[in-house]
Amino acid sequence: MSTIDTLSEFVEAAAKEFGIPGAAVGVQVDGREAYVCHGVTSTENPLPVDERTLFQLGSVTKTHTATVLMRLVDQGRVDLDAPVRRYVPELVLADEKAAAEITVLNLLNHTAGLDWNVVVDTGDGDDALAGFVAKMAELEQIAPPGARASYSQAGFNLVGRIIENVTGLTYERAVASLLLDPLGLTDSFFAPSDVMTRRFAVGHNVDEHGDLAVSRPWTVTTRGNRPGGGLASSAVDQLRWARFHLGDGLAENGERVLTTEVLNRMKEPTVELRGSTLGDAFGICWFLRDVDGVRTVGHGGSASGQFAELLTVPERGFAVVSLSNAGPESGLLFNQAVVRWALEHYLGVVDEDPEPVPYDHARALELVGSYDNDAMTLTIATDGTELTIGAAIKPELRAASETELPPDYEPAAMGLLPGAGDEYVVTGGGLKGQRGFFTRAADGAVIGADLGGRLFTRRR
């Protein structure tokens, strides 16, 4: 039996295990590409998923946004080390010193010190990004620029505004003209009106009865949030996207899109990450992670009941993309399982979760509490025998939302990792395998927790 046949068997079995209605998986290996598709686009109006079916990419969109910005760098139109205000003079933040100091690179490697996001809908007009940036004065500054990495959707929306101001085009038109069109990414779209004329997957979440239900509306990403997570695309396009980043900066038609130097620079470490499932370091947008002695470069994303994962291994010319239409717990675990299977069976690279140390009650009591950012709350608790972690969208945001929001992650087991660094791994539930760490003040008190690359500040 060929490897693609066994991949097909694995995808089918994993989809059943995790309750995935539909999935599209693509693999690039030894100069060849192969696809495995499973299930249906929707449980209510089912169509077979194929390699051209459009899925929401979520934060994988950031890799496209960053690459457009780097094309402007390559053209000499943007300087990575310049302050953002050179290109967005209208920028106002709660911290004026930070607003003046944040550089373009700080945005691209999430070291601007900006909190996660501003929860606001600035409409569907061409001024949506300008309106979003005008709201950024409401965003908390969680650290001085350059002091630490903390994943920020708002920061990438601001990158989108740089692109608009420099090119004189809307963000979407700039991405199309500078990236999608030259690379032949003909299955990639931002506007729902473009998506709905093609075969596309709808998201699914677990409802209050524990049943899988269609997520409505199809997308909760506003136009002002598109640079950080608004693209829909297919497995075919995402493998083509991966091949471009594994290559020399040329499109498949021979057009020069980026110089090799700039393309490779995106995969070089710019800031280290501590205790993160996402990677050991940020490049320029990309997460860099060493797995079983091999450097991987990738990015994941979540959307309205959908999950996407894209991983490359540059030294082996390898790429895998996994797109699934269920979340939040099942899609994340399915994609992780597919990527790990592909790494092991195609490259012999084994990716395993670290083993936690035995439960220590005194140490656990130091960590118990509530931690939050602008959108979510983490709850760390103990029953005296194990630590648990739960993640929930803030109730006031749910109450104010006019659209259906994803369900919360119910409390699940977690364990501390060896060493004195307060790093941890989640060992159960929908966040299984996710890693993070706790931050202490100078006096030793725990003041924050990181999960998914984002800082959550301790409130009690």
Side-chain angles (χ1 to χ4, degrees):
M1 182 179 292
S2 69
T3 309
I4 193 64
D5 290 333
T6 53
L7 173 61
S8 181
E9 289 186 355
F10 179 82
V11 167
E12 183 176 358
K16 290 179 180 178
E17 176 185 355
F18 295 111
I20 306 297
V25 175
V27 177
Q28 169 85 20
V29 61
D30 296 330
R32 304 187 309 274
E33 62 183 60
Y35 299 95
V36 169
C37 300
H38 168 84
V40 295
T41 57
S42 168
T43 55
E44 291 186 4
N45 297 287
L47 291 171
V49 170
D50 61 27
E51 65 269 23
R52 300 292 297 271
T53 299
L54 306 183
F55 287 76
Q56 295 182 56
L57 295 184
S59 286
V60 178
T61 306
K62 291 181 173 70
T63 66
H64 297 75
T65 301
T67 304
V68 171
L69 194 286
M70 292 305 291
R71 190 164 194 198
L72 297 178
V73 170
D74 216 2
Q75 294 171 351
R77 301 166 73 183
V78 173
D79 180 351
L80 283 180
D81 297 320
V84 170
R85 273 191 175 161
R86 178 182 297 180
Y87 310 105
V88 188
E90 68 270 28
L91 177 65
V92 176
L93 298 176
D95 185 327
E96 168 56 27
K97 187 172 186 292
E101 293 180 353
I102 291 172
T103 67
V104 177
L105 181 58
N106 288 148
L107 299 180
L108 293 173
N109 67 5
H110 298 281
T111 59
L114 299 171
D115 208 347
W116 161 236
N117 204 12
V118 183
V119 183
V120 61
D121 184 349
T122 54
D124 294 326
D126 288 351
D127 62 349
L129 267 177
F132 179 91
V133 171
K135 290 287 187 179
M136 288 185 65
E138 302 173 9
L139 192 66
E140 183 178 353
Q141 188 74 26
I142 59 174
R148 56 156 294 155
S150 186
Y151 194 83
S152 176
Q153 171 82 3
F156 261 78
N157 294 337
L158 183 51
V159 173
R161 185 59 178 158
I162 294 174
I163 291 169
E164 287 192 334
N165 282 353
V166 171
T167 63
L169 303 170
T170 64
Y171 163 77
E172 297 89 349
R173 186 62 249 156
V175 173
S177 63
L178 291 170
L179 199 69
L180 304 183
D181 294 346
L183 291 184
L185 300 179
T186 57
D187 291 341
S188 299
F189 307 95
F190 286 102
S193 58
D194 289 323
V195 173
M196 68 183 294
T197 61
R198 297 161 173 88
R199 183 167 300 195
F200 64 94
V202 303
H204 299 78
N205 286 314
V206 176
D207 64 18
E208 65 271 20
H209 307 295
D211 300 320
L212 205 61
V214 168
S215 176
R216 291 186 170 88
W218 175 75
T219 179
V220 296
T221 302
T222 63
R223 187 169 180 186
N225 276 282
R226 283 180 181 172
L231 197 62
S233 187
S234 68
V236 168
D237 263 18
Q238 287 311 290
L239 268 196
R240 182 172 291 139
W241 178 236
R243 284 198 301 275
F244 170 71
H245 275 277
L246 289 170
D248 56 6
L250 295 175
E252 293 183 358
N253 65 4
E255 179 182 347
R256 170 67 62 188
V257 176
L258 283 179
T259 61
T260 305
E261 178 185 6
V262 168
L263 190 72
N264 290 338
R265 185 177 180 184
M266 294 185 70
K267 298 188 283 282
E268 296 172 358
T270 61
V271 60
E272 290 186 5
L273 293 175
R274 173 186 167 199
S276 176
T277 315
L278 302 173
D280 303 314
F282 274 124
I284 290 178
C285 183
W286 291 110
F287 290 103
L288 313 179
R289 182 167 174 249
D290 289 335
V291 179
D292 201 13
V294 174
R295 169 58 56 89
T296 67
V297 178
H299 212 293
S302 62
S304 184
Q306 303 191 42
F307 276 82
E309 193 71 37
L310 175 65
L311 190 79
T312 69
V313 182
E315 67 185 67
R316 305 286 291 274
F318 175 85
V320 56
V321 57
S322 183
L323 309 172
S324 57
N325 65 347
E329 299 188 358
S330 50
L332 179 65
L333 295 176
F334 170 82
N335 286 348
Q336 180 186 66
V338 168
V339 169
R340 285 183 167 182
W341 189 97
L343 284 173
E344 181 173 359
H345 287 79
Y346 285 101
L347 302 184
V349 172
V350 178
D351 185 11
E352 296 179 321
D353 293 334
E355 285 293 325
V357 299
Y359 175 79
D360 181 327
H361 189 59
R363 195 174 175 193
L365 291 178
E366 294 183 87
L367 310 175
V368 167
S370 179
Y371 304 75
D372 72 8
N373 59 22
D374 51 352
M376 298 188 72
T377 298
L378 294 183
T379 301
I380 310 295
T382 181
D383 62 0
T385 62
E386 70 174 2
L387 277 166
T388 60
I389 182 170
I393 294 173
K394 289 186 172 181
E396 60 269 28
L397 295 183
R398 285 198 181 278
S401 177
E402 298 179 357
T403 61
E404 176 185 334
L405 297 178
D408 299 330
Y409 289 95
E410 296 298 321
M414 63 179 289
L416 293 170
L417 294 174
D422 289 322
E423 295 183 10
Y424 66 86
V425 62
V426 183
T427 56
L431 292 170
K432 183 178 180 182
Q434 297 297 300
R435 292 177 59 188
F437 64 92
F438 295 93
T439 302
R440 294 180 183 267
D443 63 0
V446 175
I447 57 172
D450 272 67
L451 179 67
R454 304 171 195 166
L455 173 66
F456 293 75
T457 302
R458 189 172 193 171
R459 304 303 181 190
R460 61 174 177 82

